[in-house]
Amino acid sequence: MKTTVATFAAAKASGQKLTMLTAYDYSFARLVDSAGVDSILVGDSLGNVILGYEDTLSVTMADMIHHTKAVARAARNALVVADLPFLSYQVSVPKAVKNAGRLLKEGRAQAVKLEGGVFIAEQIKAIVEASIPVVGHIGLTPQSVNAMGGFKVQGKSEESIKRLFADAKAVQEAGAFAVVVECVPPTLMKKLTESLSIPTIGIGAGPHCDGQVLVYHDLLGLFEGFSPKFVRRYAEAGDLIKKAFSQFVAEVKAGQFPGPEHCFADPDEGVERMY
Ligand code: KIV
């Protein structure tokens, strides 16, 4: 069954948990979709995990459209949500609507996500009024890494808690159908989830959310070294893949690949007689 914005509302009403995973290309989007995930996020995290930038700030509309197209071709049931990249919506309301529209019209996403609360509520309202479903994103907002002074847990001070609740309310009132909440403590998250009529999708926000989202590179262990505290690694696929690549190298060097079973049959005439 195709997930829609109505599925999100029904899940909030019935208490059924929602699932969201990132994907950036056709093959992985097929895997994510066929695993039964409710929604695929074409995140601007593609700046980190696909393009190798140290943050998401350099991601462009062209990058997002390119990857969203590939994901949308693969998604049969999951709702495809595409991120609006840095400076594609902050500058003005008309620019926000135009760029959100491009993610649907050219990328074939079914919804867009954008970061911020009170300060971009006008943009959310206008995008929703253009019939484009919106997911908000509050708490730790990676596009504001420089303003926030780093990737820091939010909701630790009274001021930060007040801002979080004000942002959540603003996003909901502007018409978003769900909100991603990143890196806030669980007790606060419980209160936030209970205070909203739209579903909260947490990342690093504990269990009291209406759903959970992860970047699949984290979940699969595709990166060596740093793994955020909030990630459960469901597989060590990075090790498995590296082992397979090393085995390929070793077998080619040793003349063990390709074997006879990988070769096409010789022509009936026999190659020797033809030369
Ligand atoms: O870009 C992304 O992948 C995200 C998730 C971290 C929620 O915004």
Side-chain angles (χ1 to χ4, degrees):
M1 269 259 286
K2 180 77 193 166
T3 304
T4 66
V5 293
T7 318
F8 273 62
K12 175 86 182 183
S14 68
Q16 207 170 352
K17 296 276 188 186
L18 289 158
T19 54
M20 181 184 264
L21 280 176
T22 58
Y24 316 95
D25 67 20
Y26 181 86
S27 313
F28 266 91
R30 283 295 311 126
L31 292 170
V32 171
D33 187 74
S34 57
V37 164
D38 294 308
S39 178
I40 300 179
L41 173 64
V42 190
D44 62 353
S45 52
L46 72 83
N48 306 98
V49 298
I50 303 292
L51 302 176
Y53 298 134
E54 66 184 45
D55 55 43
T56 57
L57 301 186
S58 301
V59 175
T60 63
M61 276 300 296
D63 293 331
M64 290 310 305
I65 289 170
H66 178 71
H67 287 275
T68 302
K69 276 182 180 173
V71 169
R73 283 194 283 267
R76 311 262 153 90
N77 296 317
L79 182 86
V80 178
V81 180
D83 261 343
L84 276 162
F86 182 54
L87 288 194
S88 69
Y89 59 95
Q90 291 93 338
V91 176
S92 73
V93 170
K95 199 166 170 197
V97 177
K98 181 101 193 287
N99 283 325
R102 288 189 68 200
L103 290 174
L104 267 66
K105 200 176 171 84
E106 298 171 48
R108 303 298 302 175
Q110 285 121 23
V112 301
K113 177 167 81 57
L114 69 171
E115 297 181 9
V118 173
F119 292 135
I120 49 99
E122 254 190 87
Q123 278 88 330
I124 295 179
K125 188 165 181 292
I127 295 169
V128 170
E129 281 170 358
S131 302
I132 299 166
V134 172
V135 177
H137 184 157
I138 60 170
L140 195 169
T141 45
Q143 291 176 17
S144 309
V145 58
N146 293 307
M148 286 179 160
F151 297 102
K152 292 185 177 150
V153 176
Q154 302 298 299
K156 294 282 231 183
S157 65
E158 200 181 324
E159 189 202 338
S160 173
I161 293 170
K162 275 191 186 142
R163 191 166 50 242
L164 195 66
F165 275 84
D167 283 342
K169 196 156 167 269
V171 164
Q172 174 172 286
E173 281 177 4
F177 72 93
V179 61
V180 166
V181 186
E182 183 162 352
C183 290
V184 305
T187 314
L188 180 62
M189 193 61 228
K190 186 168 189 293
K191 287 201 162 41
L192 196 69
T193 295
E194 286 166 0
S195 76
L196 294 177
S197 59
I198 57 172
T200 54
I201 313 293
I203 176 161
H208 309 297
C209 305
D210 298 305
Q212 296 290 329
V213 54
L214 281 179
V215 172
Y216 80 74
H217 290 70
D218 293 334
L219 177 156
L220 293 181
L222 290 181
F223 280 126
E224 286 171 295
F226 179 70
S227 182
K229 179 181 167 62
F230 55 78
V231 168
R232 178 171 291 162
R233 281 163 86 127
Y234 286 85
E236 292 301 333
D239 290 345
L240 198 73
I241 292 168
K242 215 161 45 176
K243 208 165 139 218
F245 290 163
S246 304
Q247 205 172 337
F248 166 76
V249 171
E251 289 188 1
V252 169
K253 301 243 184 233
Q256 291 166 345
F257 176 81
E261 71 276 27
H262 307 116
C263 298
F264 298 106
D266 280 327
D268 292 341
E269 293 291 312
V271 176
E272 284 82 5
R273 281 209 303 117
M274 290 163 66
Y275 288 93

